[in-house]
Amino acid sequence: MAMKIRLARGGSKKRPHYAIVASDSRMPRDGRFIEKLGTYNPLLAKDDERRVVMDVERVQYWLGQGAQATDRVARFLEAAGVVEKKERNNPKKAVPGKAATERAEAKAAKAAAAAEAANAPAEETAE
């Protein structure tokens, strides 16, 4: 059985609340799970200790049984110090889009023209 440690959504519309659960990967996201391992409330402040609450011993047990944590749960586990931090690389994330590149080029050209115009009268008065 392929086990996952993942988030199961609860809460009402626009008021999400998640349970951290150990479940069979073939089950639906909010469907049947084997054990509830904790909770995650994204509406709380990032420094609030109640934002992510986990039973670390049970999480380690399921990881020892071969369960795979999803990306978001893996980040919670890294923050809690349960697993070592994984190196991530997304080089295209920081590259600006087409429109932002065009705006930056236009702004640079405008700044260069303004600097050139400011330097031209200074050169004429110097002569």
Side-chain angles (χ1 to χ4, degrees):
M1 183 165 44
M3 294 293 300
K4 288 275 190 188
I5 299 176
R6 63 182 178 197
L7 298 175
R9 186 184 163 123
S12 59
K13 180 179 173 184
K14 300 197 181 204
R15 303 285 297 167
H17 187 270
Y18 296 92
I20 300 170
V21 298
S23 68
D24 184 352
S25 64
R26 297 170 291 188
M27 294 295 126
R29 177 192 71 180
D30 301 335
R32 193 170 75 199
F33 59 88
I34 297 171
E35 184 177 358
K36 183 176 175 183
L37 304 173
T39 60
Y40 167 56
N41 188 350
L43 299 177
L44 294 176
K46 292 192 182 218
D47 58 347
D48 193 337
E49 67 271 355
R50 295 173 297 149
R51 184 177 168 102
V52 178
V53 178
M54 287 186 280
D55 184 356
V56 177
E57 292 177 8
R58 293 304 295 168
V59 170
Q60 289 174 334
Y61 167 79
W62 283 110
L63 291 173
Q65 295 295 317
Q68 297 292 315
T70 58
D71 291 338
R72 179 57 48 192
V73 174
R75 288 179 186 257
F76 296 154
L77 296 175
E78 289 169 3
V82 176
V83 296
E84 65 276 352
K85 198 161 189 140
K86 190 170 95 176
E87 185 68 30
R88 292 177 182 84
N89 185 14
N90 189 356
K92 293 194 177 206
K93 177 83 173 174
V95 176
K98 183 178 174 184
T101 306
E102 291 173 359
R103 281 193 305 268
E105 290 172 356
K107 187 176 181 181
K110 187 175 179 181
E116 186 177 307
N119 289 337
E123 290 175 4
E124 290 177 7
T125 58
E127 293 176 1

